[in-house]
Amino acid sequence: MSNLNNSITEFLLMEFSDNRELQILYSLLFFLIYSAGLMGNLLIVIIITIDRRLHTPMYFFIRNLSIVDICFISVTVPPASINSLVNNRVISVTGCAIQIFLLVWMAYVEYTLLTVMARDRYVAICHPLLYPVIMNPRACMQMTLTCLFTGILYAGLHTGLTFQLSFCNSNVIHQFFCDIPSLLKISCSEIFFNLISLFASALALVGCFVFIIVSYIRIFSTVLRFPVKEDQRKAFSTCIPHIIVVSLFLISTSYVHLQPPSDSGSIKDIIISVFYSIIPPFLNPILYSLRNQQIKEALRLVMKKKIFLNKA
């Protein structure tokens, strides 16, 4: 088969709606969600960086997660909103490849960081005496760098496998951003190895999810033995949101990436994609940080200092 991929120089993304007014409305709505998520995560990064009392392993990972969330949500939402406002559906093949690489990389780092954070909470609650030894600064940095560099290899592998295909069925991507399943649906090449790689990735995600669930089962069994009910309530309020976001991220990504490639794109695919590309970065500051008493106290101190400096 001739490589017809060389004849395609651009793809056409799916519009939010056929109605121009709805296009603008959805674009503004997505941009508002993006702005809220961006500001929330930036606030977390600034507060944790400024307040030395928050320079602990748990907040180190929360800050890293917020940085990843900023990058993750910035890969898809701003370009999609701008394209919708200017009524432009075109994206170059190079731009599509870059977007897929960054999206897969950030998604990988996001999920592996969530897994590392589960381990952090497990060690802190179940082995508190060993916590300073196991979760020392060097170990925390090594785990973060491992997530980043293995993510580059992971994203490079999937991006390379995707763009060695030929796209001759169509150049219309049934999604508001470039993603691998949508490109597989319009490919006329053999995609067996692509499907195997996606299935292996799904198994890896399930493995991480099982690790997280087992960690929290052990955490809950330990927490239930706490003599003080208030300590139990604080521990549960920290753990349950984590499980909710991880479950949402895993279910939505697995659904999108494990659909049969022959299925046609639909508004349902867009809605499901929103749940893993927009909602988790938007919710994470609320669930992990803005509900945290130490974060709130640090925020109040920062605001007081700002007001004092303005008066001076």
Side-chain angles (χ1 to χ4, degrees), residues 84-299:
S84 183
L85 285 175
V86 300
N87 199 22
N88 178 31
R89 300 171 55 196
V90 176
I91 184 170
S92 67
V93 172
T94 302
C96 188
I98 292 173
Q99 189 173 58
I100 285 181
F101 176 84
L102 293 176
L103 184 65
V104 174
W105 184 25
M106 290 300 105
Y108 175 93
V109 176
E110 171 103 4
Y111 202 75
T112 50
L113 272 180
L114 290 172
T115 307
V116 170
M117 289 171 69
R119 172 173 169 77
D120 173 73
R121 289 300 84 207
Y122 165 73
V123 176
I125 294 175
C126 300
H127 303 285
L129 296 180
L130 295 176
Y131 184 70
V133 178
I134 298 176
M135 303 303 293
N136 61 75
R138 182 178 179 181
C140 293
M141 183 60 69
Q142 287 176 342
M143 284 186 280
T144 301
L145 292 177
T146 299
C147 292
L148 289 171
F149 288 120
T150 56
I152 292 175
L153 297 176
Y154 178 86
L157 171 65
H158 283 283
T159 305
L161 284 174
T162 301
F163 282 89
Q164 57 85 31
L165 300 174
S166 297
F167 305 103
C168 54
N169 292 332
S170 172
N171 72 332
V172 179
I173 298 176
H174 295 282
Q175 188 56 269
F176 67 94
F177 58 88
C178 283
D179 70 342
I180 293 175
S182 298
L183 286 174
L184 295 185
K185 292 174 184 178
I186 63 175
S187 172
C188 55
S189 300
E190 175 57 54
I191 60 172
F192 176 75
F193 289 109
N194 299 79
L195 295 178
I196 291 297
S197 67
L198 290 178
F199 182 73
S201 300
L203 289 179
L205 288 177
V206 172
C208 291
F209 184 68
V210 170
F211 176 85
I212 292 171
I213 292 299
V214 171
S215 298
Y216 275 111
I217 289 174
R218 294 178 177 177
I219 289 172
F220 289 159
S221 64
T222 301
V223 170
L224 289 173
R225 294 196 294 268
F226 286 178
V228 182
K229 293 294 183 181
E230 181 63 20
D231 292 340
Q232 291 183 6
R233 187 192 65 78
K234 289 180 180 179
F236 282 128
S237 66
T238 303
C239 297
I240 292 175
H242 187 187
I243 295 176
I244 292 173
V245 172
V246 170
S247 301
L248 176 65
F249 192 75
L250 175 68
I251 293 170
S252 57
T253 50
S254 298
Y255 176 85
V256 171
H257 289 81
L258 293 181
Q259 286 188 94
S262 58
D263 286 353
S264 60
S266 66
I267 192 66
K268 179 179 68 173
D269 296 335
I270 292 182
I271 294 173
I272 295 296
S273 297
V274 167
F275 274 94
Y276 82 86
S277 64
I278 298 177
I279 300 301
F282 172 74
L283 289 180
N284 283 348
I286 301 172
L287 294 176
Y288 294 124
S289 304
L290 297 182
R291 297 179 63 217
N292 184 289
Q293 193 60 40
Q294 286 181 283
I295 291 285
K296 289 180 179 178
E297 183 179 344
L299 178 59

